[in-house]
Amino acid sequence: MTYALRRAGAGTRKALFLAACGVVVPVASVWFWDREDFREVCEGEGRPQVLKRALADGVFLNSGTSNSFGMRYLHDEGFSWIEAPSIYRRNKWVRYEKQADGKITTTEIDSLTARYEVREVFSQPFGHTGLMQTQVVDRETGEVMARAGKANFDGGKAKWFLGAWGSSYCPSAMHSSEDFRAFYHLAKDTLRSGQKQGR
């Protein structure tokens, strides 16, 4: 393109500038178009919402990382116990309980007893955007009491040009610290600060 522009009479600097614009402008336009879809997901499905609160000592943590990252619900979020799918036996359940000395005991149980569920649901609203939504659900009524999402944008159609520079995520601790905190502590804000006694 630069050669063609120079042949057409443009100087070297002008030819380089016009050639760069011929690449940058289309790539940027496509990126902004795709990122607008991502922004709408963040504003809609991703924004934290607590619709109803209750008080519960423990929850059913329906997550693939219950036995690892899920321990934060016992160490940091104020719950005494969590129930989770067994990682060793299909259709079995495990109860993790925090003891007075801080140690966690693990007991296999035949059925769930928790009234409230913390559920992780993954969806892909767009090819370039993945959404991991955390929901707090009343298992007796099926009511969604709270929801918050974490979305990742891979750069869209411009990702091959921009690489990691074109990607983004929300909520961000740097750009939306309140939403980030609300997403991370959704279960605590919903089930450890209410008036109604749960189980």
Side-chain angles (χ1 to χ4, degrees):
M1 181 181 285
T2 305
Y3 176 75
L5 289 167
R6 291 184 64 188
R7 292 271 298 179
T12 302
R13 287 185 179 178
K14 187 175 181 180
L16 288 172
F17 173 76
L18 292 173
C21 287
V23 173
V24 171
V25 171
V27 169
S29 298
V30 169
W31 181 81
F32 277 112
W33 184 276
D34 286 343
R35 197 177 187 284
E36 183 63 16
D37 292 335
F38 162 74
R39 187 192 66 77
E40 290 179 4
V41 171
C42 291
E43 290 295 318
E45 298 298 322
R47 188 165 294 280
Q49 293 179 297
V50 177
L51 308 172
K52 183 178 180 180
R53 287 183 167 85
L55 181 63
D57 292 329
V59 295
F60 166 40
L61 182 56
N62 194 353
S63 166
T65 61
S66 301
N67 68 320
S68 53
F69 294 112
M71 292 302 108
R72 73 180 182 85
Y73 286 88
L74 301 177
H75 292 300
D76 305 322
E77 301 297 283
F79 293 100
S80 301
W81 53 267
I82 60 172
E83 295 172 344
S86 172
I87 61 173
Y88 300 110
R89 301 177 64 186
R90 291 187 63 182
N91 302 319
K92 290 292 183 179
W93 315 100
V94 174
R95 184 181 176 106
Y96 302 98
E97 192 160 4
K98 187 176 182 180
Q99 303 302 312
D101 60 4
K103 292 182 179 180
I104 306 298
T105 59
T106 304
T107 307
E108 189 173 276
I109 56 178
D110 292 326
S111 60
L112 298 171
T113 65
R115 172 172 177 173
Y116 301 105
E117 175 182 353
V118 178
R119 179 186 301 168
E120 293 182 356
V121 180
F122 179 79
S123 62
Q124 195 151 9
F126 300 98
H128 50 64
T129 298
L131 174 67
M132 176 61 77
Q133 193 173 73
T134 299
Q135 300 175 347
V136 180
V137 180
D138 185 333
R139 297 181 62 240
E140 287 190 357
T141 65
E143 180 181 13
V144 176
M145 301 170 63
R147 62 168 61 90
K150 180 173 63 176
N152 292 285
F153 174 60
D154 68 6
K157 300 176 191 69
K159 65 183 176 182
W160 307 113
F161 295 95
L162 301 176
W165 294 101
S167 62
S168 188
Y169 62 92
C170 71
S172 163
M174 184 178 297
H175 299 111
S176 54
S177 58
E178 280 301 309
D179 284 351
F180 181 83
R181 191 211 67 79
F183 170 80
Y184 193 75
H185 298 295
L186 186 71
K188 178 180 180 180
D189 291 346
T190 306
L191 297 174
R192 296 303 298 162
S193 60
Q195 300 301 316
K196 181 181 176 183
Q197 182 67 42
R199 65 177 186 270

